[in-house]
Amino acid sequence: MRTKYLVTFMVVLALAFTEVAVLRKVDIKVGAGSAGPGGAAAAAEPVPPAYDVTALKSPSGKYLGVTVEGGAEMGRIRAFAEETGTTPNLVAVFESFDDKFAASEVRELHQYGALAVIRWEPYDVPLRDIAAGRHDAYVREFATAVRTLNLPIALTFAHEMNGHWYSWGTKQTRAAEYVAAWRHLHDVFAQAGATNVIWTWTPNVINYLRKVSIKALYPGDAYVDWVGMDGYYTVRGPKTFKDLFEPTITQLRTFTRRPLLIVETGSEPSAGRPGQITDLLSNVARRKDLLGVAYFNINGSGKWNIDHDQAALRSFRRGATKDVFGFDVRTVK
């Protein structure tokens, strides 16, 4: 009897172990096939197509923007809008080449209805190293963040390269190195799928830089969407749009027909400042080859800020009322 009971007990025990093993296998299979949170076969979120910037490259209206201290400082931007009677739809954000992409600032500006112009500045970074791919890990991270946010930006890399005042300027960088760095960055962004970028090549106006060939610094139409210009009305320098910008436009038109944008400009305090602002805005409004302008409302190399200049603000307000100026970038199709 004892043997019989022992055999029966062993059979039952063996069946129990078999059942547990089967159940464990079932559990493992269910877990592996689960599409729920944490499941190994969880369905991947579909990647949306890149934001199409085609319409923003050639909008029916004109950009009228501003640069304020702190970049996307919405309080200062709204104050400028109230003072001038216009809602800026183009705002500059300055970033060093080692900064992470300013995603939150770009998002906030887009929600406001403005296109962010990222001014990417490679301080103390040799452009030949960028061209050689020595900073590709950082560039890929930046480009991926741009693609992940998936909002439109304009990107100006190493602006005013035809000047001598920046580390990437003519004193330390050869034209071929600049062009190679720009093209390499463009290629890395393309590989990351970051086509939501409007590439905006931006020299300084050539007025006192006539010996520097901006054509030699041009990466080529395949790598550039907009041609920007930086130039200021100064007390001792050019005082009209014709004198300030047209020499540069004339030279640019010898090698590219890309649309033009005045990315940075301002006027120093003087009795002529209200007239210069009128001159600026009226020329931008009437010229078909100009996409728009952004006013540099910061005191830096000059006292460009017009917040407390009522005559200048009145001129800006009158110029901003022209029908061609101002549109919400979110509605452009």
Side-chain angles (χ1 to χ4, degrees):
M1 293 293 293
R2 288 180 181 176
T3 302
K4 180 180 179 181
Y5 289 140
L6 181 59
V7 171
T8 303
F9 173 75
M10 293 299 292
V11 170
V12 171
L13 187 62
L15 290 173
F17 274 117
T18 301
E19 185 177 1
V20 169
V22 171
L23 289 174
R24 288 188 65 184
K25 287 183 179 180
V26 171
D27 287 343
I28 291 170
K29 289 180 180 179
V30 170
S34 173
E45 288 291 328
V47 178
Y51 194 110
D52 188 354
V53 295
T54 303
L56 288 173
K57 289 180 184 179
S58 301
S60 56
K62 301 220 176 197
Y63 292 96
L64 185 55
V66 67
T67 302
V68 299
E69 193 169 350
E73 287 287 340
M74 299 311 300
R76 290 191 174 98
I77 294 168
R78 290 189 175 94
F80 185 82
E82 185 174 349
E83 290 170 343
T84 59
T86 184
T87 300
N89 61 355
L90 192 75
V91 178
V93 176
F94 288 81
E95 291 205 66
S96 294
F97 190 70
D98 56 353
D99 286 340
K100 290 186 179 295
F101 173 56
S104 60
E105 289 87 343
V106 171
R107 185 184 299 107
E108 192 167 19
L109 289 171
H110 185 76
Q111 291 170 348
Y112 182 71
L115 177 69
V117 181
I118 302 298
R119 312 220 75 180
W120 208 10
E121 301 176 310
Y123 285 106
D124 302 319
V125 179
L127 297 198
R128 60 182 175 274
D129 288 353
I130 296 174
R134 295 190 179 96
H135 297 275
D136 276 6
Y138 163 68
V139 176
R140 280 194 295 268
E141 179 184 2
F142 196 99
T144 300
V146 171
R147 177 62 180 89
T148 299
L149 181 64
N150 205 19
L151 292 175
I153 65 167
L155 182 64
T156 74
F157 170 74
H159 60 286
E160 301 175 16
M161 77 301 291
N162 57 323
H164 53 76
W165 43 88
Y166 287 125
S167 62
W168 56 84
T170 54
K171 283 188 176 180
Q172 298 184 41
T173 305
R174 294 184 294 111
E177 293 172 336
Y178 178 88
V179 169
W182 180 285
R183 290 178 176 177
H184 183 72
L185 291 174
H186 188 282
D187 290 346
V188 174
F189 271 65
Q191 291 162 11
T195 57
N196 49 310
V197 176
I198 302 172
W199 290 84
T200 309
W201 179 75
T202 309
N204 196 82
V205 291
I206 66 171
N207 298 37
Y208 50 91
L209 299 168
R210 302 290 178 117
K211 293 182 179 180
V212 179
S213 169
I214 55 174
K215 181 179 180 180
L217 290 158
Y218 188 60
D221 283 357
Y223 297 89
V224 173
D225 300 306
W226 288 347
V227 170
M229 292 182 288
D230 291 354
Y232 290 82
Y233 294 83
T234 60
V235 173
R236 297 184 180 180
K239 297 174 177 58
T240 67
F241 184 96
K242 181 178 180 179
D243 292 339
L244 180 57
F245 293 108
E246 286 196 3
T248 305
I249 294 172
T250 299
Q251 192 170 131
L252 289 168
R253 287 312 184 214
T254 65
F255 59 87
T256 182
R257 305 302 298 180
R258 283 288 188 248
L260 305 175
L261 176 74
I262 299 174
V263 182
E264 213 178 278
T265 191
S267 177
E268 282 189 310
S270 71
R273 177 149 78 170
Q276 289 167 355
I277 290 175
T278 297
D279 175 56
L280 171 70
L281 296 182
S282 61
N283 274 280
V284 173
R286 72 175 180 81
R287 291 186 65 120
K288 293 183 179 179
D289 58 344
L290 277 170
L291 293 165
V293 59
Y295 190 86
F296 193 79
N297 202 44
I298 300 173
N299 289 336
S301 58
K303 295 182 178 179
W304 318 114
N305 188 301
I306 60 173
D307 287 349
H308 304 295
D309 186 335
Q310 293 305 314
L313 287 171
R314 283 195 295 272
S315 290
F316 202 104
R317 195 176 298 115
R318 284 194 297 269
T321 59
K322 296 183 183 298
D323 291 340
V324 295
F325 283 127
F327 58 89
D328 188 323
V329 299
R330 296 169 297 180
T331 64
V332 176
K333 303 296 182 186

